[in-house]
Amino acid sequence: MPDLLLELRSEEIPARLQRKAAGDLKKLVTDALVEAGLSYEGAREYWTPRRLTLDIRGLTARSADVREEKKGPRTDANEKAIEGFLRGAGLSSVSEAQIQSDPKKGDFYIAIISKPGRAAEEIISDVMPGIIRDFPWPKPMRWGAASAQPGSLRWVRPLQSIVCTFGTEHEETVVIPFSIDGIVASNVTYGHRFHAPGAITVKRFGDYIANLEKAKVILGGERRKDIILHDARDVAFANGLELVEDEGLLEEVSGLVELPQVLLGSFEEDYLSIPAEIIRLTIKTNQKCFVTRPVGGDTLSNKFILVSNIEASDGGKEIIHGNGKVVRARLSDALHFWKRDQGDLPDLETLEASAKKFDLDLKKPLDQRMAKLDALDVTFHAKLGTQGERVERIRAMAAKVAFPVGADYKLVDRAVVLAKADLRTETVGEFPELQGVMGRKYAALQGEDAVVATAIEEHYKPQGPSDQLPQDKVAITVALADKLDTLIGFWAVDEKPTGSKDPFALRRAALGVIRILLERSVRLTLLPRITSHMGRIDTDIGKTVDENDLSRQFDLLSFFHDRLKVYLRDQGARYDLIDSVLTPEADDLLMIARRVEALTAFITSEDGKNLLVGTKRATQILAAEEKKGTVIADGVSENLFRLDAEKQLFAAITTASAEASAAVDKEDFRSAMEALSRLRAPVDRFFDDVLVNDEDAAIRANRLALLRLIREATGTVADFSKISG
């Protein structure tokens, strides 16, 4: 069976886009071929900075013939119906249709539509121009004289050539003929921009990849990553060092080179006085280089590893020298920022009002930066005021959270006050990624309590579903207060996430709150805190609202519920069990999770399964009678019992309800489930022995009231009617 080789060669594609673009190309092409009736054995995508390549093996040479029957109207239908059928089937007259008889429906027309198969070359030639023209680049560009024409080709960078060959392994391949905006598909590609820029004629993938390698191009992105990683480790080891590995940087660098050459550069040891985080980020951000450290050490060395795209004749000396000059210049700036941030600001006299507001000590550099942040009225959000106002609100929220968490409020308050101060440091101004990290370092330098310094860094955590959580109670409190203030604030001004858009990362903030509460076992009732804090924000921004209208507050609580469902489902919980314990007013997320956990264990037991069946039967009967308006007694009368099964069930419900309620009050949900499990046998016997809809209205009403007791007893832990099974 023939294979297809496709290469789209362009100017340098941004590294961050290459992997996804190659995957998109594979999906678009294979989907189009399958939709056209072709099949294939396997497909693999490749990418370099200058090319996207697709290798499809075992492609069928031709699509199958298709014979389709299209049923039409009855033969005695009106003319318009018959004409519409003929148009849809592509027939010119009814004589071209067949008549089929049905004993019940009579005679009706049938159109036999035959579509002959098409050669794979023809299909590929048809689909490729549309795929290239409509390729989903995030920010495509136009270029050259043709860019002035409407509908001209748009690509991430100027597209230069297309390779498209087709054929079996042992026969001559052919070039699939198609063109787009003057670029004609061929069997010619080009090697490394500097080392082998000449044309290369290729036939199929095997000689294509071999010829590229001879032309100094390593096609596989994963192979380039592997070469860079192992060569970098070897170079570091040879110099008595070890590589500080960085998967994100490795992915990026592998997308910048077609021929990776690993070299070792250095900078003056004096720069090692700068915190390691700053050195690493400076070298990574500006020069895309890796840092090293002594083997087994915690501190960095003054050697860095760079990756070149050229086999230099001088062994890379000039490349190392040039990169070293830039690295030293950047580190010089970083050292300047680091020292400036530890000095006094020149306008301390203008900061006294802000210092008094936040109980700041203007003898301390980080306190000065917080005062400056407030005094400058730096905007947090146009509708939510300044960063200083926000810090005041976070302080208020932290006061409501500290006690349930069990944190020292004085330390919490100090951490909140300094949490955003590093936003006014020059280091964070240059490297926003270091906010929090630099706050911790500067706090430690000015003698803050260790838990305060840690909380300044960790209050941003978690940044995602796999990020670490804050550890200390002070950090947990500040993290919760910060995220809750953010969520409540944006809900107050109606800036909620919509569809896939979430510009303020509110879903991430809600998931962070949920993870902290559940994974750090924090009991926190959300609704009263949401309500009081939203009232404060409304007052701060001058918003007039109806105090009795809690729709925004419940909408935010519902948002937490939605995120909680996603979180619990990811942990393996069943959606129906979550829904059975989740009510619109439920705002203690830890207790919801514990109920789901206990219910999961119970409902998978034999007693749980059987009780569920009996309870659902009771609930369904009761719901049907309530819908019909059947009289149900207000309470159960023992005098109306006629059978032992009634008496036994009533006694069991009375005992189980009391025990389950007591267990729920103690938040011992497993014991509550155990108490309810003892209802299984009496419920089963009741339905075996008792006819609920007795002819005597009083007895019927009493028995329905007994069913209501079953629903109420199980309802102490969950709404069993929502549980499937």
Side-chain angles (χ1 to χ4, degrees):
M1 296 176 75
D3 303 329
L4 173 67
L5 169 64
L6 175 69
E7 180 201 70
L8 304 176
R9 190 180 62 89
S10 68
E11 294 291 335
E12 275 71 7
I13 305 167
R16 68 184 184 280
L17 303 180
Q18 293 167 19
R19 182 184 291 272
K20 182 179 184 303
D24 288 341
L25 180 64
K26 174 183 171 181
K27 185 175 189 313
L28 289 169
V29 172
T30 55
D31 284 357
L33 297 181
V34 169
E35 187 176 345
L38 301 178
S39 62
Y40 62 96
E41 293 176 357
R44 186 170 179 184
E45 72 276 25
Y46 300 85
W47 63 92
T48 80
R50 300 175 62 214
R51 66 198 82 220
L52 301 178
T53 300
L54 184 59
D55 173 30
I56 301 181
R57 301 290 176 93
L59 192 65
T60 47
R62 186 179 183 84
S63 63
D65 296 340
V66 176
R67 185 179 184 277
E68 178 185 353
E69 287 189 3
K70 187 169 184 179
K71 187 176 179 181
R74 284 166 53 100
T75 54
D76 56 358
N78 61 61
E79 287 187 15
K80 287 189 176 180
I82 294 173
E83 288 174 2
F85 160 67
L86 294 175
R87 276 196 308 273
L91 303 181
S92 56
S93 69
V94 290
S95 62
E96 297 178 5
Q98 297 183 14
I99 297 175
Q100 195 169 87
S101 298
D102 187 302
K104 295 181 179 179
K105 298 180 180 179
D107 295 341
F108 54 89
Y109 289 114
I110 290 268
I112 307 298
I113 303 171
S114 296
K115 295 180 180 178
R118 301 168 66 202
E121 294 98 315
E122 181 185 343
I123 293 172
I124 296 166
S125 180
D126 280 353
V127 302
M128 282 310 307
I131 290 172
I132 295 172
R133 191 173 293 280
D134 299 329
F135 200 81
W137 292 112
K139 291 183 179 179
M141 62 179 287
R142 293 182 293 176
W143 62 94
S147 65
Q149 303 300 318
S152 61
L153 176 63
R154 295 163 66 90
W155 198 249
V156 64
R157 294 294 184 269
L159 187 62
Q160 295 178 325
S161 68
I162 300 171
V163 169
C164 192
T165 65
F166 183 72
T168 63
E169 187 175 350
H170 304 293
E171 297 176 354
E172 281 298 313
T173 57
V174 298
V175 174
I176 303 291
F178 70 88
S179 65
I180 180 167
D181 276 31
I183 303 172
V184 181
S186 70
N187 60 353
V188 176
T189 188
Y190 299 83
H192 191 284
R193 180 186 292 278
F194 304 112
H195 292 303
I200 303 169
T201 302
V202 298
K203 295 181 179 180
R204 53 184 61 85
F205 183 77
D207 72 294
Y208 166 78
I209 193 170
N211 283 327
L212 279 183
E213 194 133 340
K214 291 176 185 175
K216 308 296 184 180
V217 175
I218 296 173
L219 185 65
E222 292 301 325
R223 185 168 168 228
R224 291 196 305 277
K225 283 177 66 174
D226 190 61
I227 290 171
I228 294 168
L229 180 60
H230 285 86
D231 286 359
R233 286 173 177 169
D234 291 346
V235 168
F237 181 76
N239 287 271
L241 303 167
E242 65 181 14
L243 176 71
V244 178
E245 296 185 14
D246 186 323
E247 176 60 30
L249 180 58
L250 180 61
E251 174 78 11
E252 183 177 11
V253 170
S254 72
L256 297 175
V257 295
E258 290 192 319
L259 181 68
Q261 303 293 304
V262 173
L263 303 169
L264 185 71
S266 65
F267 55 86
E268 286 72 17
E269 291 190 356
D270 291 348
Y271 290 124
L272 294 176
S273 62
I274 307 170
E277 293 90 345
I278 300 178
I279 295 175
R280 184 175 180 180
L281 195 59
T282 297
I283 292 176
K284 171 183 176 178
T285 303
N286 295 302
Q287 288 304 104
K288 312 302 179 189
C289 296
F290 298 86
V291 293
T292 63
R293 62 190 168 212
V295 177
D298 294 327
T299 58
L300 297 183
S301 79
N302 69 325
K303 300 288 194 299
F304 63 90
I305 287 177
L306 62 104
V307 182
S308 169
N309 191 36
I310 299 174
E311 283 182 335
S313 57
D314 64 355
K317 290 180 182 178
E318 282 300 315
I319 296 172
I320 292 170
H321 176 70
N323 276 266
K325 284 177 64 177
V326 177
V327 165
R328 282 187 283 276
R330 296 294 187 178
L331 289 177
S332 178
D333 290 343
L335 181 61
H336 174 72
F337 298 147
W338 169 244
K339 290 179 177 179
R340 283 280 298 269
D341 288 339
Q342 296 173 59
D344 289 339
L345 293 173
D347 53 353
L348 292 181
E349 66 281 356
T350 66
L351 306 178
E352 291 178 357
S354 294
K356 185 176 181 181
K357 184 193 305 184
F358 291 101
D359 302 317
L360 297 167
D361 182 355
L362 291 182
K363 295 178 183 177
K364 297 181 176 181
L366 198 58
D367 291 55
Q368 294 175 23
R369 272 68 186 176
M370 178 57 218
K372 188 71 172 179
L373 184 71
D374 178 65
L376 288 174
D377 288 334
V378 176
T379 299
F380 166 63
H381 183 271
K383 296 180 182 179
L384 289 170
T386 67
Q387 286 282 9
E389 291 168 337
R390 182 178 180 231
V391 170
E392 287 189 279
R393 289 197 296 265
I394 296 174
R395 290 179 83 183
M397 176 56 77
K400 301 185 183 85
V401 175
F403 179 74
V405 174
D408 184 324
Y409 175 67
K410 288 186 178 179
L411 294 176
V412 167
D413 191 62
R414 180 64 175 162
V416 171
V417 165
L418 295 178
K420 309 297 180 184
D422 66 356
L423 297 178
R424 287 305 305 166
T425 62
E426 295 193 40
T427 303
V428 172
E430 180 72 10
F431 303 112
E433 303 95 325
L434 291 179
Q435 57 185 293
V437 174
M438 299 314 302
R440 173 176 61 81
K441 290 189 175 295
Y442 292 135
L445 284 172
Q446 68 179 35
E448 299 296 332
D449 192 295
V451 297
V452 170
T454 300
I456 292 172
E457 177 179 8
E458 292 191 347
H459 86 280
Y460 289 106
K461 294 181 178 293
Q463 295 282 357
S466 58
D467 192 23
Q468 291 184 341
L469 296 175
Q471 298 282 341
D472 183 81
K473 290 180 178 180
V474 171
I476 288 171
T477 302
V478 181
L480 285 171
D482 178 57
K483 291 170 177 59
L484 287 170
D485 172 75
T486 299
L487 287 157
I488 296 168
F490 283 108
W491 246 258
V493 297
D494 196 29
E495 292 279 358
K496 301 177 291 185
T498 56
S500 61
K501 294 183 179 180
D502 186 10
F504 305 112
L506 301 181
R507 291 187 180 92
R508 186 175 69 187
L511 178 61
V513 171
I514 290 166
R515 284 192 60 204
I516 292 171
L517 294 179
L518 272 55
E519 296 175 34
R520 292 287 180 259
S521 298
V522 176
R523 294 287 313 279
L524 195 70
T525 51
L526 291 176
L527 194 56
R529 289 171 172 82
I530 292 172
T531 302
S532 63
H533 201 69
M534 196 172 289
R536 176 191 174 115
I537 292 172
D538 289 337
T539 301
D540 284 354
I541 64 178
K543 186 172 185 176
T544 303
V545 295
D546 181 357
E547 293 183 1
N548 296 317
D549 180 10
L550 299 180
S551 58
R552 293 176 301 161
Q553 291 86 332
F554 275 101
D555 186 61
L556 177 53
L557 185 59
S558 175
F559 182 73
F560 274 111
H561 288 172
D562 290 341
R563 297 296 96 201
L564 178 64
K565 289 179 182 179
V566 173
Y567 174 84
L568 292 177
R569 287 173 190 170
D570 288 344
Q571 301 298 310
R574 281 169 40 181
Y575 74 92
D576 56 328
L577 300 188
I578 301 170
D579 288 341
S580 72
V581 303
L582 198 57
T583 63
E585 300 81 16
D587 68 344
D588 188 337
L589 305 188
L590 179 61
M591 288 303 98
I592 294 170
R594 288 181 177 173
R595 281 176 182 259
V596 171
E597 181 184 359
L599 186 59
T600 300
F602 173 65
I603 216 67
T604 54
S605 70
E606 199 61 32
D607 282 345
K609 292 176 184 176
N610 290 326
L611 179 60
L612 175 62
V613 172
T615 302
K616 288 175 77 72
R617 184 176 176 185
T619 303
Q620 289 166 357
I621 293 172
L622 193 61
E625 296 304 320
E626 287 173 336
K627 188 175 182 180
K628 291 190 292 186
T630 304
V631 174
I632 303 173
D634 293 335
V636 174
S637 172
E638 295 183 67
N639 295 329
L640 291 174
F641 290 157
R642 295 290 181 267
L643 299 169
D644 288 343
E646 294 175 280
K647 298 174 185 177
Q648 291 172 2
L649 179 58
F650 181 64
I653 291 174
T654 303
T655 302
S657 293
E659 291 178 358
S661 295
V664 168
D665 290 341
K666 296 176 184 176
E667 298 171 2
D668 184 357
F669 300 112
R670 290 188 180 275
S671 295
M673 299 294 179
E674 187 179 336
L676 291 177
S677 70
R678 291 192 280 273
L679 288 176
R680 173 197 166 180
V683 167
D684 288 348
R685 185 178 178 192
F686 177 83
F687 282 117
D688 287 341
D689 297 353
V690 177
L691 177 65
V692 175
N693 285 320
D694 194 88
E695 293 180 359
D696 187 317
I699 293 176
R700 179 171 65 248
N702 197 57
R703 288 174 177 172
L704 288 171
L706 197 55
L707 296 187
R708 186 166 57 200
L709 286 184
I710 297 175
R711 183 171 67 184
E712 291 172 354
T714 54
T716 57
V717 292
D719 183 349
F720 275 48
S721 68
K722 293 182 178 179
I723 302 175
S724 60

